[in-house]
Amino acid sequence: MAGQGQAPQIETDRAHPARMYDYYLGGHHHSEADARAAEKVAAAMPVVWPAARANRDFMTRATRWLAGPCGVRQFLDIGSGIPTEPNLHQVAQAVAPDAKVLYSDSDPLVLRHGRELLRGAPESGTAYIHADVTDPVSILDAPELSDTIDLGRPVALSVNAVFHFIGDEHRPHEIVRTLLGALPAGSYLVLTHTTADFVDAARVEGATNALQAYADSGTPLRPRTRSEVTRFFEGLELLEPGLVVPHRWRPGPETPRFGDTEIPGYVGVARKP
């Protein structure tokens, strides 16, 4: 697994979106700087609380569906964030105990907690690597990937709440194409992304303040339009119900009900032909 050498330095005096997400979900793996930044965002846009949970719930439903009816046994979760139960591997392996999961994140604290999570389950078929999504080749070339994932068999590429933190200068759509290019036919893309499409006049000030809070933390957030998010799925078979808000993707009886414009994000699952 990752990190056999010197561990990357953890900076807890500066907020990180993965740890802020943990805070929104009610986790405990964040610093005071993360909590302060998250509270600034929440004060500007209180919807961040249910939005974080809706995003997490979508991940759970999509993973169960892929591991179940779709028969996927390999998952590559990039920008995985702090381990917050249920973790993707717990969801997948509850359906298919032989499922393999590789997590990748650029936050050293995620790596540390990933190590702790796996220490008690060395044969879990799960591994972590410390890598930056803006350098997708480093992920694909990592020995942990070849040790965990068989690129001759379908893989579910999960990039949840990741690319709205990647600016246009890094060409996020090309990053996705590079990652998918290494995966065989029959693989899947699972993606969630924040949007400002639903921001009306009454919410402009709050949205502006929330974006400023992320910028002040050192990690600007780039919401994208429906057409921009759709571009991530070019060349793929976007599966029903298509590109929708999180709570509209194959909801179950326990899925919270919101209006179509309450949760500011899009989600989708697509198959590589």
Side-chain angles (χ1 to χ4, degrees):
M1 97 175 247
Q4 296 303 317
Q6 184 176 1
Q9 183 178 357
I10 297 174
E11 298 180 2
T12 57
D13 59 344
R14 183 175 180 176
H16 188 283
R19 301 192 299 263
M20 292 170 66
Y21 185 53
D22 174 74
Y23 184 82
Y24 299 142
L25 291 173
H28 305 286
H29 304 304
H30 51 262
S31 67
E32 291 184 9
D34 301 314
R36 287 195 300 269
E39 286 290 351
K40 285 183 181 179
V41 173
M45 287 193 71
V47 72
V48 72
W49 302 109
R53 177 50 58 189
N55 185 80
R56 191 72 177 183
D57 290 347
F58 161 75
M59 180 279 291
T60 299
R61 296 195 307 278
T63 301
R64 284 176 181 158
W65 183 70
L66 289 168
C70 295
V72 176
R73 294 295 179 267
Q74 301 186 112
F75 295 81
L76 174 56
D77 186 15
I78 296 179
S80 54
I82 301 293
T84 303
E85 293 193 356
N87 302 292
L88 189 149
H89 75 277
Q90 293 172 320
V91 176
Q93 292 171 357
V95 177
D98 59 337
K100 305 292 185 182
V101 179
L102 178 64
Y103 292 109
S104 174
D105 203 286
S106 62
D107 181 15
L109 190 60
V110 172
L111 176 63
R112 189 182 78 182
H113 285 295
R115 288 174 174 170
E116 293 174 355
L117 180 69
L118 300 184
R119 188 171 294 125
E123 305 302 326
S124 66
T126 305
Y128 275 83
I129 57 174
H130 180 77
D132 192 328
V133 69
T134 61
D135 183 10
V137 175
S138 69
I139 297 173
L140 297 173
D141 288 346
E144 292 83 3
L145 188 142
S146 57
D147 289 346
T148 309
I149 301 294
D150 177 2
L151 293 180
R153 298 168 53 223
V155 179
L157 171 63
S158 178
V159 282
N160 291 318
V162 173
F163 283 103
H164 48 235
F165 293 113
I166 306 300
D168 295 341
E169 69 276 13
H170 293 294
R171 300 181 177 180
H173 297 92
E174 291 187 14
I175 292 173
V176 170
R177 283 192 285 272
T178 297
L179 292 167
L180 286 172
L183 306 183
S187 293
Y188 292 83
L189 172 65
V190 182
L191 181 143
T192 75
H193 200 295
T194 293
T195 188
D197 285 358
F198 311 139
V199 176
D200 55 23
R203 292 186 283 183
V204 168
E205 182 178 359
T208 300
N209 291 338
L211 292 176
Q212 187 60 53
Y214 272 109
D216 291 344
S217 74
T219 310
L221 188 147
R222 165 67 161 91
R224 291 188 168 89
T225 64
R226 181 182 181 86
S227 62
E228 289 176 314
V229 177
T230 299
R231 282 184 56 204
F232 286 108
F233 297 96
E234 286 182 354
L236 306 177
E237 300 170 351
L238 190 60
L239 306 181
E240 291 295 335
L243 190 68
V244 294
V245 289
H247 49 288
R248 298 299 187 198
W249 195 91
R250 300 176 184 257
E254 76 289 351
T255 305
R257 303 304 191 220
F258 298 101
D260 286 345
T261 61
E262 287 187 68
I263 304 298
Y266 293 115
V267 308
V269 178
R271 183 179 183 275
K272 181 177 178 180

